[in-house]
Amino acid sequence: MTDEQSQKKQGGVRLRRLNLILGIVAAILAVALFFVTVDTLHSYRETDEATARNTLAQQSAAALESGSDYLTDRVRTFVVTGDPQAAADFFEEINVTRRRDHALDEMERIFSGAEPARLLAEAMRLSNELAEIELYAMRLAIEADGYDVKDYPEMLQSVVLREEDLALTPTEQAQRARTLLFDETYQSYKLQIRANITACEQTLVGETQRVQEKNVSHLGRILQLQAILIAVLLITVLAVIIGTHKLVLLPLRNVINAIPKKETLPEVGSHEMRYLVRAYNEAYEQTKEHQDQLAYEATHDHLTGLYNRAVFEEQRANVHKRRRAMLLFDVDYFKEINDTYGHDAGDRVLKKVADTLSKNFRSEDYVCRIGGDEFAVILLHTDRSLRGMIERKLNGILAALRDTSDGLPVVTLSIGCAFCDRENPTEDLYKDADAALYDVKERGRSGFAFFDDGNNGKENESC
């Protein structure tokens, strides 16, 4: 692994760790936001409940005052007009409707032992004392009008008039009854009742404002904290997205782009992505090696490593014919070498010939084994002007093969050569090279000949 690859790997590991840390931070922020939101809901619910509770308490205070005022209205109507329905309404409110009692019970339920309940209880006590004055005035009015007191509720029958009031005339008794309901004492009771109810309502309003102010202040701090947490969470999530893009999405896109190009993939991104890339690269290399091996075996001779007959035929048919030459080689007496020295020695001879040919021709030339002991070389960008150079190469090849220091017998070759621009060409380059090779064999083998040396071809400008 190169330093650059090592640095990239370390950078990827650091980025993956950072992305993991950011993910944990994002989760913690999300949990914190959850609890902050719960706290916000709790504060809102507390404010809402306090407002509803205090509103209900205010309604109870108003109900007590309304009940007290209703009793005052009914008793005054009865005393002034003698209307029996007014008296019936008075006692229905006292014994049946009982708005004052229900209001006090509701206040005790909501604020048991607290200041609002105490103030309303005081208002109820004063209202009850006032009811005693009202009952006395009603009893005095009944006495003045000469009504039978037995026609009225027991509560009224139990009222005992004072001696001085009994001594008054009916007119004076009626006036006395009205005075009791309108004098300063009565008004003082009404004012005290009203004062206690007003104080109760003010206490409730103050309590509502206190709870609201406390929760509004708390909500303000919570909202500020929420804004900070959301901002940090957004930044963290953005960083996670960027990290994920660099660790996963970008490497994945590179993989997608590289696969059609049949290339190995760069080992970048997250640990998991690099693992997958390594697995792919290993499979790719194995497949490529297998394919390369198959391609090599399809185009090369397995013994000598030279191009095989298929490549020779392909190049013979497809390579442009101008400035080209072809050499055909036969190993002389190869059967005798096999019979005398064995097939292993014969194989070594073929390899020696192949190596010698490969060393003496260019990499752009096609050096091929086209049969058991038959070889061919297709020379590109070559014409008759290079004949002298080719002769020197062939003499060097023949000399090298006569060397027996490697333990092999002397090897000789019969070689036929034909140029694309040869004189009097026949059908094709291969046949003319083969004709030159035949001439060498006819002359006793171990040598080379050029098609131009004979006159057995017919004139043709094309190759």
Side-chain angles (χ1 to χ4, degrees):
M1 181 182 295
T2 65
D3 292 341
E4 182 179 358
Q5 290 174 331
S6 178
Q7 290 176 359
K8 286 183 178 179
K9 181 178 180 180
Q10 292 176 1
V13 171
R14 288 194 294 270
L15 185 59
R16 183 167 65 89
R17 289 176 179 172
L18 177 60
N19 212 43
L20 177 61
I21 292 172
L22 289 174
I24 295 173
V25 170
I28 294 173
L29 289 172
V31 172
L33 273 174
F34 171 77
F35 284 108
V36 169
T37 302
V38 170
D39 192 19
T40 303
L41 293 174
H42 175 73
S43 296
Y44 172 79
R45 189 179 299 110
E46 182 181 359
T47 302
D48 185 61
E49 290 176 353
T51 301
R53 181 176 63 249
N54 293 342
T55 299
L56 185 60
Q58 291 179 35
Q59 291 173 352
S60 298
L64 192 148
E65 183 178 21
S66 176
S68 178
D69 290 342
Y70 182 77
L71 293 176
T72 297
D73 175 73
R74 293 294 83 193
V75 73
R76 282 177 174 175
T77 300
F78 176 75
V79 169
V80 172
T81 65
D83 182 6
Q85 183 60 46
D89 292 341
F90 179 90
F91 288 108
E92 183 178 9
E93 177 66 28
I94 288 286
N95 299 316
V96 180
T97 307
R98 302 176 65 229
R99 277 183 287 178
R100 298 176 309 152
D101 300 279
H102 293 320
L104 184 60
D105 291 342
E106 185 68 13
M107 184 66 75
E108 285 291 343
R109 185 186 66 81
I110 298 173
F111 289 104
S112 178
E115 183 65 10
R118 188 193 67 78
L119 290 170
L120 201 63
E122 177 64 17
M124 183 65 175
R125 185 188 66 80
L126 293 170
S127 181
N128 287 334
E129 290 182 3
L130 191 61
E132 293 178 2
I133 296 175
E134 292 167 344
L135 287 171
Y136 190 87
M138 291 177 70
R139 178 69 181 82
L140 194 58
I142 291 172
E143 189 68 26
D145 292 334
Y147 297 143
D148 186 357
V149 71
K150 294 181 179 180
D151 295 334
Y152 293 90
E154 178 65 25
M155 182 181 294
L156 191 57
Q157 295 178 29
S158 63
V159 175
V160 178
L161 295 177
R162 291 186 288 272
E163 290 293 333
E164 60 269 24
D165 290 331
L166 287 173
L168 297 175
T169 64
T171 302
E172 289 174 339
Q173 287 177 339
Q175 181 60 39
R176 174 63 178 163
R178 287 191 289 271
T179 300
L180 288 174
L181 299 177
F182 290 95
D183 63 7
E184 290 183 359
T185 300
Y186 193 90
Q187 294 301 324
S188 175
Y189 270 105
K190 295 295 292 185
L191 290 174
Q192 290 181 64
I193 293 171
R194 179 59 194 162
N196 278 276
I197 291 175
T198 300
C200 177
E201 291 175 341
Q202 289 176 346
T203 301
L204 293 172
V205 170
E207 176 65 17
T208 301
Q209 290 178 343
R210 185 190 67 78
V211 173
Q212 288 177 341
E213 288 173 358
K214 182 194 75 171
N215 288 332
V216 165
S217 177
H218 183 60
L219 285 172
R221 292 192 297 271
I222 290 177
L223 290 175
Q224 289 179 351
L225 179 60
Q226 277 185 324
I228 294 172
L229 289 175
I230 289 172
V232 176
L233 181 60
L234 287 175
I235 294 172
T236 304
V237 170
L238 180 61
V240 171
I241 292 173
I242 294 174
T244 302
H245 176 75
K246 295 186 69 175
L247 288 171
V248 179
L249 298 181
L250 187 59
L252 187 59
R253 186 176 66 184
N254 293 336
V255 167
I256 293 172
N257 292 335
I259 287 177
K261 298 178 183 178
K262 297 182 179 179
E263 300 174 347
T264 56
L265 308 178
E267 291 188 24
V268 295
S270 66
H271 171 74
E272 295 77 10
M273 180 60 69
R274 292 199 308 274
Y275 178 83
L276 290 176
V277 167
R278 283 196 298 271
Y280 171 84
N281 286 343
E282 290 176 3
Y284 173 80
E285 290 294 343
Q286 292 175 358
T287 302
K288 186 174 183 300
E289 288 177 3
H290 182 64
Q291 290 176 341
D292 291 344
Q293 182 64 31
L294 291 177
Y296 180 86
E297 292 175 357
T299 57
H300 289 74
D301 176 60
H302 71 281
L303 177 65
T304 63
L306 299 181
Y307 287 119
N308 59 18
R309 181 84 187 205
V311 174
F312 172 76
E313 294 294 343
E314 179 183 359
Q315 294 304 319
R316 175 184 170 188
N318 296 331
V319 173
H320 197 279
K321 297 178 180 179
R322 297 196 179 279
R323 288 183 56 76
R324 184 182 63 165
M326 182 178 294
L327 303 176
L328 298 179
F329 302 81
D330 273 359
V331 179
D332 295 332
Y333 308 109
F334 182 69
K335 184 177 183 303
E336 286 78 358
I337 294 175
N338 273 334
D339 293 342
T340 303
Y341 299 97
H343 288 284
D344 288 342
D347 289 344
R348 291 174 60 195
V349 167
L350 293 177
K351 290 179 181 179
K352 182 177 181 178
V353 173
D355 291 341
T356 304
L357 294 179
S358 296
K359 291 175 182 178
N360 283 273
F361 292 102
R362 301 165 299 182
S363 59
E364 66 178 11
D365 296 330
Y366 287 87
V367 181
C368 309
R369 182 187 178 198
I370 59 175
D373 61 344
E374 298 176 1
F375 297 83
V377 178
I378 297 177
L379 301 170
L380 305 182
H381 313 295
T382 304
D383 55 25
R384 286 190 300 172
S385 65
L386 299 177
R387 174 170 172 163
M389 181 194 69
I390 292 175
E391 288 179 349
R392 289 191 296 274
K393 282 182 177 293
L394 296 179
N395 285 322
I397 291 170
L398 293 173
L401 292 176
R402 284 193 292 269
D403 181 13
T404 60
S405 60
D406 54 5
L408 293 175
V410 173
V411 179
T412 62
L413 300 177
S414 297
I415 307 168
C417 178
F419 293 101
C420 181
D421 57 346
R422 64 197 179 282
E423 293 181 357
N424 301 317
T426 58
E427 294 182 9
D428 62 26
L429 194 60
Y430 173 77
K431 290 188 175 182
D432 288 349
D434 189 56
L437 175 62
Y438 181 77
D439 289 343
V440 175
K441 290 182 178 181
E442 285 292 311
R443 294 197 300 268
R445 307 185 182 185
S446 186
F448 56 86
F450 292 83
F451 180 79
D452 299 68
D453 295 338
N455 294 313
N456 56 346
K458 59 182 179 179
E459 186 175 352
N460 190 341
E461 292 183 358
S462 68
C463 294

